[in-house]
Amino acid sequence: MKVLVVDDETDVQILFEQRFRREIRAGELIFAFAHSGEKALAYLNEHPSEYVLILSDINMPGMSGLELLRLIKTTYPAPPPVVMMITAYGDSESHDQAMQLGADAFLTKPLDFNNLKEKLKSAL
Amino acid sequence: MEIASFLIVFFMVRYIRTSLQTAVRFPEWERILVIVQYAASGLLAADVFLDSSITKWLWHLLLLGMVGAAYLLKDFRPVRNVWLAVGPYILVSLFKDIAKLIDSDFYESISTVVEIAEIFTLVWLIATWVSTQRQQKALEKERLKRLQEEEQSRIIAGQNVMLEQLVAERTAELTRQKEELEQTLTELKATQDQLIQREKMASLGELTAGIAHEIQNPLNFVNNFSEVSVELIEELKEERRREDRDIELEEELLTDLTQNLQKITHHGKRADSIVKGMLQHSRTSTPQREPTDLNNLADEYLRLAYHGLRASDKSFNATLIMDFDEHLGKVSVVPQDMGRVLLNLFTNAFYATEQKRKTGLAGYQPTVQVSTKRLSDEQIEIRVRDNGCGIPKTVLTKIYQPFFTTKPTGQGTGLGLSLSYDIVTKGHGGELTVETEEGEFTEFIIQLPT
């Protein structure tokens, strides 16, 4: 399964690669990283229908995660991939908005990686 | 001629009495003069009823006595010159009577001349009299004038006293007012200090959410990297227990571990600097100038401002552009003060974009840009630009005034730009200028000497 992680913090890449190193080594998961909403969209357009799961931060400079979610859900060709949102602010407003826009899950920072692994497995 | 003598005595007595004011100044002379007047009246009556030649000699005596007294006596000195007027007449009439007595024939031969002379002396007397009266009147006028002047100067003196009193009262009042004003000034200074402190605290409040976010992120990394490092060590131990050890994997794990520890340090330091910045921001003690990396400072505060706003308004979003001059070098500033200026400019910039966004402009992307540039060996520049609502010309002159704010009541202290201006100009000898176009952009430019 190919997963695209969108976060403006570059160290997220190293973290994910280590946290999921067994899954990556086993070939169960393939990760790609984008550091902004704009880059994520561009990446998706370059690799159409490849990525089935998108994990995006909400609070990013420029295009926000919610805006990215809206664009993916409205313009991305079917079948729409699974989109999970991550935010440092676990407020209900963002949660409701994300759900309304069609997010499949709403996670708060700090990420519980075991929980995330389970969610990814269930998404498989 | 007795009538003439009587009139002369009468007027002379009157003249002496009024001129010398004998009634007031010389009561004994007054009495004598009154007696003289009665005597003259009696003499005139005697003249009419007794046809005696003795009376004319009494007239002569009376006139000579009066003139002599006026001429000789000290008390009559002011009227001494009366003899000038009366003298000729007395002499002529005396000469006439004596001549008549001694040799009436001789007198007859010169009588015409004597009588003409007598008339002349009378004319002389009257003329002198009139001219004296006139002089007297002029003198009287003068005296009145002097009296008036005296009265006036007395009034003026009185007024002076009154004015002096008024001035003293006013001075006392002014002194009291001055003291009150000084007191008020002291209170105002204290209030100003409190307000500055409150403004610091208010901006600290704005910062808190941003700080929490900014600290949360590195802390997450610290936690995550340490947790994953424990996993890596477990894996490494597992690998070493195996018969066929994968050296390459072990090396990889060790490299990752080193990298993780570096990441932990990096994010730990990141959190550390944020906390330090926050402490500096709220500090009240006299701040010290120190060589500061303004690129770092701008970066840090832009993030803090952004996340601070994000925390209070979830719908808020903006593109941040940072364009830093690598050759800026360190600049000697008071970091917390300059941080406040930047924070203030950023907060305003975000607010301006938010105001414009709320107008519902299609395709509007809020953007806040900070750039630094070294202008010369002695000068650097920081620009904070937003594509927000801009500043209307009407308020442009007021933006640095204390307490001036366009924000709704309770949302802005109106001290942000005023304090920023003071910090840049008075605190650092720099300049704070603004370029703006209503509805298009605002750009604040800080120029600092290095």
Side-chain angles (χ1 to χ4, degrees), chain A residues 9 11 18-19 21 59 62, chain B residues 227 235 260 267 310 317:
Chain A
E9 293 273 4
D11 281 347
Q18 290 192 11
R19 283 287 193 181
R21 69 191 178 286
N59 315 296
Chain B
E227 276 169 35
E235 203 178 333
N260 287 0
H267 289 286
R310 283 271 324 157
N317 195 31

Side-chain angles (χ1 to χ4, degrees), chain A residues 57-100:
Chain A
D57 188 16
I58 290 181
N59 315 296
M60 290 182 290
M63 185 190 291
S64 78
L66 291 174
E67 177 70 3
L68 176 67
L69 170 66
R70 193 181 63 78
L71 288 172
I72 289 168
K73 288 292 180 188
T74 53
T75 64
Y76 202 69
V82 180
V83 183
M84 294 185 182
M85 304 307 294
I86 312 167
T87 178
Y89 311 107
D91 57 290
S92 56
E93 198 188 319
S94 295
H95 177 266
D96 295 349
Q97 214 179 339
M99 287 308 173
Q100 203 188 330

